[in-house]
Amino acid sequence: MFAAVVLGGCSSSGAEEAGAYWQDYCTRLGAWQEARNSVDAFPGKAGGAGGGTGELARAVVSAAEVLDREGRDEDSAHVLDDTVAAVTGADLVAEGRVVSSCDRAGFEGLVK
């Protein structure tokens, strides 16, 4: 379900590595959004924070932590706080900022 990012032992440039971190993050964010939206559309459906969306939320936060540590650009520095606010606090403004960051990184097709 998640894009695997294998970076060890590669002779890729810093820009390529940063792109891989962004792609992984945006893929995970999009998966979380899709699961959250499906639960929202069908409120009686099993899932929610205790089900699949909770696991996906943790995966998005984990990818944001890597991006925060390794991304080395202006957007990366702010994405962790906004991601936590979006996936754990249902902060739509923070979610909009991380979606915009994915857009700027070139991965607008991976997020909603």
Side-chain angles (χ1 to χ4, degrees):
M1 176 175 270
F2 300 116
V5 179
V6 180
L7 298 171
C10 295
S11 60
S12 63
S13 73
E16 289 172 348
E17 276 188 356
Y21 292 127
W22 273 108
Q23 183 177 15
D24 182 55
Y25 170 76
C26 296
T27 298
R28 291 174 188 225
L29 178 63
W32 171 81
Q33 288 177 312
E34 187 174 312
R36 186 261 336 258
N37 291 346
S38 115
V39 169
D40 288 347
F42 303 100
K45 185 177 177 181
T53 57
E55 183 178 314
L56 290 171
R58 286 187 295 280
V60 175
V61 171
S62 176
E65 289 169 341
V66 171
L67 191 58
D68 181 53
R69 188 174 54 247
E70 304 292 340
R72 297 181 188 95
D73 65 13
E74 185 176 326
D75 278 338
S76 299
H78 303 285
V79 79
L80 180 58
D81 290 339
D82 283 338
T83 300
V84 170
V87 303
T88 63
D91 185 332
L92 296 178
V93 174
E95 183 177 347
R97 285 191 297 262
V98 293
V99 166
S100 292
S101 293
C102 285
D103 289 348
R104 284 189 297 278
F107 298 106
E108 61 277 349
L110 297 176
V111 291
K112 314 303 181 242

